[in-house]
Amino acid sequence: MTELQRLRAEHAPALLAFERTNRAYFAQSVPDRGDAYFADFDTRHGELLAGQAAGRDHLHLIIGGDGEVLGRINLIDVEDGSAELGFRVAKEAAGRGLATSAVRQVLVLAADVYGLRTLRAAATIDNTGSRTVLLRTGFLPVGETVLDGRPAIRYGRDLAAVRQQPAGA
């Protein structure tokens, strides 16, 4: 069983293990975080928590049954009712619908808890998994861009129709 949790200070060791274990896997489809990210992880983690406390970001982890981090789903650069969605799932958890499920949960949080009206996202053209997740969760292509020197597609998602289902529905 997995659970979506808001990022907390005590997640740091499991999050660092997740990033280290999956670094090469992630680098196949998204820009590598670089050595400095790992060397200064504690500082960076503190900065993320400060950004979240200030309301600039809403950061979430997908936690597995043994407490391990299986993925990240983040809403960053919150401003004027909008934010940028980013996500990554561990290689061992990929292809099981975990990212789709977690993004759907974050859409509800974005609309009902964080008061957001729209989300943005981008995925490189060769990142079929992320593009599929975005389309399955209601994002629509809105243009082209370049990410880390690679062609990519920009997506948008209106959150007006996203609402928490009543209990028992």
Side-chain angles (χ1 to χ4, degrees):
M1 187 77 176
T2 62
E3 178 185 8
L4 189 69
Q5 295 181 9
R6 193 157 164 93
L7 185 67
R8 299 186 307 266
E10 59 267 22
H11 286 130
L15 180 56
L16 180 57
F18 163 82
E19 291 289 352
R20 281 186 174 146
T21 299
N22 292 284
R23 184 177 183 182
Y25 172 67
F26 293 148
Q28 294 172 17
S29 57
V30 295
D32 184 63
R33 295 191 184 279
D35 293 337
Y37 174 84
F38 296 94
D40 298 326
F41 182 83
D42 289 337
T43 300
R44 176 70 179 133
H45 192 69
E47 291 168 350
L48 291 173
L49 292 170
Q52 181 167 262
R56 290 187 305 269
D57 305 308
H58 300 290
L59 312 169
H60 309 86
L61 299 179
I62 305 167
I63 304 295
D66 293 327
E68 74 281 18
V69 175
L70 296 176
R72 302 178 79 157
I73 312 288
N74 297 325
L75 300 171
I76 63 167
D77 299 331
V78 174
E79 188 175 358
D80 296 327
S82 185
E84 178 89 13
L85 171 78
F87 58 92
R88 55 178 59 198
V89 173
K91 182 177 182 177
E92 70 177 72
R96 301 187 334 216
L98 196 59
T100 300
S101 175
V103 168
R104 285 182 178 138
Q105 291 176 59
V106 167
L107 292 177
V108 172
L109 289 171
D112 291 349
V113 177
Y114 307 140
L116 299 176
R117 296 182 306 277
T118 61
L119 295 180
R120 307 172 307 281
T124 58
I125 290 177
D126 61 347
N127 190 343
T128 306
S130 290
R131 290 183 20 247
T132 299
V133 168
L134 291 169
L135 293 172
R136 284 183 180 161
T137 57
F139 282 81
L140 299 174
V142 295
E144 298 176 356
T145 190
V146 176
L147 295 175
D148 200 37
R150 296 160 50 189
I153 300 171
R154 290 184 296 113
Y155 294 85
R157 175 68 158 89
D158 186 336
L159 299 176
V162 175
R163 292 290 169 253
Q164 177 73 39
Q165 292 295 318

